[in-house]
PDB file of all heavy atoms in Angstrom:
ATOM      1  N   LEU A 197      28.872 -11.557  -2.797  1.00  0.00           N
ATOM      2  CA  LEU A 197      30.288 -12.156  -2.442  1.00  0.00           C
ATOM      3  C   LEU A 197      30.356 -12.122  -0.992  1.00  0.00           C
ATOM      4  O   LEU A 197      31.095 -12.980  -0.315  1.00  0.00           O
ATOM      5  CB  LEU A 197      31.352 -11.386  -3.191  1.00  0.00           C
ATOM      6  CG  LEU A 197      31.315 -11.566  -4.689  1.00  0.00           C
ATOM      7  CD1 LEU A 197      32.418 -10.687  -5.277  1.00  0.00           C
ATOM      8  CD2 LEU A 197      31.615 -13.059  -5.067  1.00  0.00           C
ATOM      9  N   ALA A 198      29.857 -11.122  -0.309  1.00  0.00           N
ATOM     10  CA  ALA A 198      30.061 -11.018   1.182  1.00  0.00           C
ATOM     11  C   ALA A 198      29.259 -12.153   1.872  1.00  0.00           C
ATOM     12  O   ALA A 198      29.705 -12.698   2.865  1.00  0.00           O
ATOM     13  CB  ALA A 198      29.411  -9.710   1.728  1.00  0.00           C
ATOM     14  N   LEU A 199      28.134 -12.687   1.200  1.00  0.00           N
ATOM     15  CA  LEU A 199      27.468 -13.716   1.867  1.00  0.00           C
ATOM     16  C   LEU A 199      28.316 -15.026   1.770  1.00  0.00           C
ATOM     17  O   LEU A 199      28.154 -15.926   2.581  1.00  0.00           O
ATOM     18  CB  LEU A 199      26.206 -14.055   1.072  1.00  0.00           C
ATOM     19  CG  LEU A 199      25.066 -12.992   1.349  1.00  0.00           C
ATOM     20  CD1 LEU A 199      23.845 -13.128   0.396  1.00  0.00           C
ATOM     21  CD2 LEU A 199      24.618 -12.840   2.639  1.00  0.00           C
ATOM     22  N   LEU A 200      29.145 -15.119   0.690  1.00  0.00           N
ATOM     23  CA  LEU A 200      30.077 -16.352   0.604  1.00  0.00           C
ATOM     24  C   LEU A 200      31.312 -16.267   1.423  1.00  0.00           C
ATOM     25  O   LEU A 200      32.056 -17.193   1.483  1.00  0.00           O
ATOM     26  CB  LEU A 200      30.314 -16.512  -0.929  1.00  0.00           C
ATOM     27  CG  LEU A 200      29.111 -16.784  -1.762  1.00  0.00           C
ATOM     28  CD1 LEU A 200      29.712 -17.008  -3.257  1.00  0.00           C
ATOM     29  CD2 LEU A 200      28.265 -18.072  -1.365  1.00  0.00           C
ATOM     30  N   SER A 201      31.648 -15.068   1.818  1.00  0.00           N
ATOM     31  CA  SER A 201      32.913 -14.836   2.534  1.00  0.00           C
ATOM     32  C   SER A 201      32.883 -15.502   4.009  1.00  0.00           C
ATOM     33  O   SER A 201      31.856 -15.359   4.668  1.00  0.00           O
ATOM     34  CB  SER A 201      33.302 -13.395   2.593  1.00  0.00           C
ATOM     35  OG  SER A 201      34.438 -13.141   3.342  1.00  0.00           O
ATOM     36  N   ARG A 202      33.957 -16.062   4.357  1.00  0.00           N
ATOM     37  CA  ARG A 202      34.087 -16.585   5.739  1.00  0.00           C
ATOM     38  C   ARG A 202      34.753 -15.717   6.654  1.00  0.00           C
ATOM     39  O   ARG A 202      34.760 -15.989   7.844  1.00  0.00           O
ATOM     40  CB  ARG A 202      34.880 -17.907   5.616  1.00  0.00           C
ATOM     41  CG  ARG A 202      34.259 -19.092   4.799  1.00  0.00           C
ATOM     42  CD  ARG A 202      35.105 -20.236   4.722  1.00  0.00           C
ATOM     43  NE  ARG A 202      34.561 -21.259   3.924  1.00  0.00           N
ATOM     44  CZ  ARG A 202      35.132 -22.532   3.761  1.00  0.00           C
ATOM     45  NH1 ARG A 202      36.197 -22.821   4.377  1.00  0.00           N
ATOM     46  NH2 ARG A 202      34.564 -23.383   2.928  1.00  0.00           N
ATOM     47  N   ARG A 203      35.219 -14.648   6.229  1.00  0.00           N
ATOM     48  CA  ARG A 203      35.929 -13.635   7.154  1.00  0.00           C
ATOM     49  C   ARG A 203      34.956 -12.527   7.314  1.00  0.00           C
ATOM     50  O   ARG A 203      34.263 -12.004   6.532  1.00  0.00           O
ATOM     51  CB  ARG A 203      37.264 -13.212   6.520  1.00  0.00           C
ATOM     52  CG  ARG A 203      38.186 -14.306   6.276  1.00  0.00           C
ATOM     53  CD  ARG A 203      39.552 -13.693   5.688  1.00  0.00           C
ATOM     54  NE  ARG A 203      40.505 -14.794   5.527  1.00  0.00           N
ATOM     55  CZ  ARG A 203      41.787 -14.546   5.055  1.00  0.00           C
ATOM     56  NH1 ARG A 203      42.144 -13.294   4.703  1.00  0.00           N
ATOM     57  NH2 ARG A 203      42.582 -15.532   4.852  1.00  0.00           N
ATOM     58  N   ARG A 204      35.105 -11.971   8.665  1.00  0.00           N
ATOM     59  CA  ARG A 204      34.194 -10.836   8.960  1.00  0.00           C
ATOM     60  C   ARG A 204      34.616  -9.571   8.284  1.00  0.00           C
ATOM     61  O   ARG A 204      33.772  -8.803   7.841  1.00  0.00           O
ATOM     62  CB  ARG A 204      34.366 -10.594  10.452  1.00  0.00           C
ATOM     63  CG  ARG A 204      33.420  -9.485  10.997  1.00  0.00           C
ATOM     64  CD  ARG A 204      33.582  -9.445  12.574  1.00  0.00           C
ATOM     65  NE  ARG A 204      33.130 -10.511  13.153  1.00  0.00           N
ATOM     66  CZ  ARG A 204      33.091 -10.778  14.481  1.00  0.00           C
ATOM     67  NH1 ARG A 204      33.545  -9.832  15.307  1.00  0.00           N
ATOM     68  NH2 ARG A 204      32.631 -11.932  15.040  1.00  0.00           N
ATOM     69  N   VAL A 205      35.785  -9.452   7.890  1.00  0.00           N
ATOM     70  CA  VAL A 205      36.344  -8.255   7.231  1.00  0.00           C
ATOM     71  C   VAL A 205      35.733  -8.270   5.797  1.00  0.00           C
ATOM     72  O   VAL A 205      35.231  -7.204   5.314  1.00  0.00           O
ATOM     73  CB  VAL A 205      37.883  -8.181   7.156  1.00  0.00           C
ATOM     74  CG1 VAL A 205      38.388  -7.011   6.296  1.00  0.00           C
ATOM     75  CG2 VAL A 205      38.468  -8.130   8.498  1.00  0.00           C
ATOM     76  N   GLY A 206      35.658  -9.420   5.229  1.00  0.00           N
ATOM     77  CA  GLY A 206      35.074  -9.515   3.816  1.00  0.00           C
ATOM     78  C   GLY A 206      33.598  -9.274   3.895  1.00  0.00           C
ATOM     79  O   GLY A 206      33.101  -8.569   3.006  1.00  0.00           O
ATOM     80  N   ARG A 207      32.938  -9.700   4.887  1.00  0.00           N
ATOM     81  CA  ARG A 207      31.509  -9.530   4.988  1.00  0.00           C
ATOM     82  C   ARG A 207      31.163  -8.072   5.195  1.00  0.00           C
ATOM     83  O   ARG A 207      29.979  -7.665   4.905  1.00  0.00           O
ATOM     84  CB  ARG A 207      30.888 -10.418   6.105  1.00  0.00           C
ATOM     85  CG  ARG A 207      30.890 -11.873   5.883  1.00  0.00           C
ATOM     86  CD  ARG A 207      29.996 -12.688   6.712  1.00  0.00           C
ATOM     87  NE  ARG A 207      30.501 -12.570   8.174  1.00  0.00           N
ATOM     88  CZ  ARG A 207      31.270 -13.394   8.698  1.00  0.00           C
ATOM     89  NH1 ARG A 207      31.703 -14.453   8.013  1.00  0.00           N
ATOM     90  NH2 ARG A 207      31.750 -13.376   9.937  1.00  0.00           N
ATOM     91  N   VAL A 208      32.084  -7.274   5.783  1.00  0.00           N
ATOM     92  CA  VAL A 208      31.798  -5.970   6.009  1.00  0.00           C
ATOM     93  C   VAL A 208      32.232  -4.981   4.801  1.00  0.00           C
ATOM     94  O   VAL A 208      31.563  -4.118   4.379  1.00  0.00           O
ATOM     95  CB  VAL A 208      32.521  -5.409   7.264  1.00  0.00           C
ATOM     96  CG1 VAL A 208      32.395  -3.876   7.473  1.00  0.00           C
ATOM     97  CG2 VAL A 208      31.886  -6.115   8.481  1.00  0.00           C
ATOM     98  N   LEU A 209      33.417  -5.315   4.288  1.00  0.00           N
ATOM     99  CA  LEU A 209      34.015  -4.450   3.244  1.00  0.00           C
ATOM    100  C   LEU A 209      33.505  -4.648   1.845  1.00  0.00           C
ATOM    101  O   LEU A 209      33.347  -3.685   1.063  1.00  0.00           O
ATOM    102  CB  LEU A 209      35.559  -4.656   3.256  1.00  0.00           C
ATOM    103  CG  LEU A 209      36.260  -4.139   4.444  1.00  0.00           C
ATOM    104  CD1 LEU A 209      37.793  -4.234   4.284  1.00  0.00           C
ATOM    105  CD2 LEU A 209      35.992  -2.651   4.799  1.00  0.00           C
ATOM    106  N   LEU A 210      33.091  -5.862   1.504  1.00  0.00           N
ATOM    107  CA  LEU A 210      32.628  -6.182   0.119  1.00  0.00           C
ATOM    108  C   LEU A 210      31.347  -5.419  -0.230  1.00  0.00           C
ATOM    109  O   LEU A 210      31.338  -4.786  -1.320  1.00  0.00           O
ATOM    110  CB  LEU A 210      32.379  -7.614  -0.016  1.00  0.00           C
ATOM    111  CG  LEU A 210      33.791  -8.415  -0.159  1.00  0.00           C
ATOM    112  CD1 LEU A 210      33.487  -9.945  -0.213  1.00  0.00           C
ATOM    113  CD2 LEU A 210      34.416  -8.064  -1.440  1.00  0.00           C
ATOM    114  N   PRO A 211      30.337  -5.337   0.668  1.00  0.00           N
ATOM    115  CA  PRO A 211      29.170  -4.531   0.282  1.00  0.00           C
ATOM    116  C   PRO A 211      29.436  -3.096   0.185  1.00  0.00           C
ATOM    117  O   PRO A 211      28.900  -2.414  -0.714  1.00  0.00           O
ATOM    118  CB  PRO A 211      28.127  -4.895   1.398  1.00  0.00           C
ATOM    119  CG  PRO A 211      28.607  -6.183   2.048  1.00  0.00           C
ATOM    120  CD  PRO A 211      30.082  -6.127   1.845  1.00  0.00           C
ATOM    121  N   VAL A 212      30.351  -2.564   1.036  1.00  0.00           N
ATOM    122  CA  VAL A 212      30.567  -1.176   0.984  1.00  0.00           C
ATOM    123  C   VAL A 212      31.480  -0.913  -0.319  1.00  0.00           C
ATOM    124  O   VAL A 212      31.205   0.234  -1.097  1.00  0.00           O
ATOM    125  CB  VAL A 212      31.466  -0.710   2.207  1.00  0.00           C
ATOM    126  CG1 VAL A 212      31.910   0.697   2.060  1.00  0.00           C
ATOM    127  CG2 VAL A 212      30.704  -0.971   3.429  1.00  0.00           C
ATOM    128  N   ALA A 213      32.375  -1.788  -0.737  1.00  0.00           N
ATOM    129  CA  ALA A 213      33.107  -1.554  -1.937  1.00  0.00           C
ATOM    130  C   ALA A 213      32.202  -1.686  -3.154  1.00  0.00           C
ATOM    131  O   ALA A 213      32.260  -0.854  -4.113  1.00  0.00           O
ATOM    132  CB  ALA A 213      34.199  -2.583  -1.948  1.00  0.00           C
ATOM    133  N   GLY A 214      31.238  -2.555  -3.026  1.00  0.00           N
ATOM    134  CA  GLY A 214      30.327  -2.597  -4.267  1.00  0.00           C
ATOM    135  C   GLY A 214      29.402  -1.378  -4.395  1.00  0.00           C
ATOM    136  O   GLY A 214      29.312  -0.849  -5.477  1.00  0.00           O
ATOM    137  N   LEU A 215      29.017  -0.854  -3.303  1.00  0.00           N
ATOM    138  CA  LEU A 215      28.169   0.370  -3.357  1.00  0.00           C
ATOM    139  C   LEU A 215      28.994   1.524  -3.777  1.00  0.00           C
ATOM    140  O   LEU A 215      28.466   2.397  -4.663  1.00  0.00           O
ATOM    141  CB  LEU A 215      27.621   0.661  -1.925  1.00  0.00           C
ATOM    142  CG  LEU A 215      26.777   2.010  -1.783  1.00  0.00           C
ATOM    143  CD1 LEU A 215      25.558   1.915  -2.716  1.00  0.00           C
ATOM    144  CD2 LEU A 215      26.280   2.156  -0.291  1.00  0.00           C
ATOM    145  N   LEU A 216      30.267   1.741  -3.308  1.00  0.00           N
ATOM    146  CA  LEU A 216      31.149   2.780  -3.701  1.00  0.00           C
ATOM    147  C   LEU A 216      31.433   2.609  -5.230  1.00  0.00           C
ATOM    148  O   LEU A 216      31.507   3.703  -6.051  1.00  0.00           O
ATOM    149  CB  LEU A 216      32.455   2.766  -3.004  1.00  0.00           C
ATOM    150  CG  LEU A 216      32.279   3.175  -1.466  1.00  0.00           C
ATOM    151  CD1 LEU A 216      33.608   3.103  -0.815  1.00  0.00           C
ATOM    152  CD2 LEU A 216      31.671   4.550  -1.289  1.00  0.00           C
ATOM    153  N   LEU A 217      31.656   1.380  -5.768  1.00  0.00           N
ATOM    154  CA  LEU A 217      31.943   1.249  -7.135  1.00  0.00           C
ATOM    155  C   LEU A 217      30.717   1.610  -7.966  1.00  0.00           C
ATOM    156  O   LEU A 217      30.824   2.253  -9.070  1.00  0.00           O
ATOM    157  CB  LEU A 217      32.343  -0.245  -7.452  1.00  0.00           C
ATOM    158  CG  LEU A 217      32.536  -0.624  -8.924  1.00  0.00           C
ATOM    159  CD1 LEU A 217      33.732   0.198  -9.495  1.00  0.00           C
ATOM    160  CD2 LEU A 217      32.834  -2.049  -8.972  1.00  0.00           C
ATOM    161  N   ALA A 218      29.450   1.357  -7.440  1.00  0.00           N
ATOM    162  CA  ALA A 218      28.305   1.710  -8.225  1.00  0.00           C
ATOM    163  C   ALA A 218      28.199   3.232  -8.320  1.00  0.00           C
ATOM    164  O   ALA A 218      27.786   3.761  -9.353  1.00  0.00           O
ATOM    165  CB  ALA A 218      27.062   1.086  -7.530  1.00  0.00           C
ATOM    166  N   MET A 219      28.440   3.958  -7.259  1.00  0.00           N
ATOM    167  CA  MET A 219      28.429   5.357  -7.130  1.00  0.00           C
ATOM    168  C   MET A 219      29.402   5.925  -8.117  1.00  0.00           C
ATOM    169  O   MET A 219      29.163   6.915  -8.894  1.00  0.00           O
ATOM    170  CB  MET A 219      28.584   5.902  -5.848  1.00  0.00           C
ATOM    171  CG  MET A 219      27.537   5.528  -4.791  1.00  0.00           C
ATOM    172  SD  MET A 219      27.968   6.087  -3.116  1.00  0.00           S
ATOM    173  CE  MET A 219      26.522   5.577  -2.204  1.00  0.00           C
ATOM    174  N   ALA A 220      30.635   5.400  -8.200  1.00  0.00           N
ATOM    175  CA  ALA A 220      31.658   5.898  -9.070  1.00  0.00           C
ATOM    176  C   ALA A 220      31.307   5.716 -10.546  1.00  0.00           C
ATOM    177  O   ALA A 220      31.474   6.582 -11.424  1.00  0.00           O
ATOM    178  CB  ALA A 220      32.970   5.247  -8.826  1.00  0.00           C
TER     179      ALA A 220
END
Side-chain angles (χ1 to χ4, degrees):
L197 293 175
L199 292 175
L200 301 180
S201 178
R202 298 183 181 181
R203 298 183 179 181
R204 182 175 299 178
V205 176
R207 291 195 294 268
V208 173
L209 294 182
L210 284 174
V212 177
L215 180 60
L216 293 178
L217 180 60
M219 294 177 180

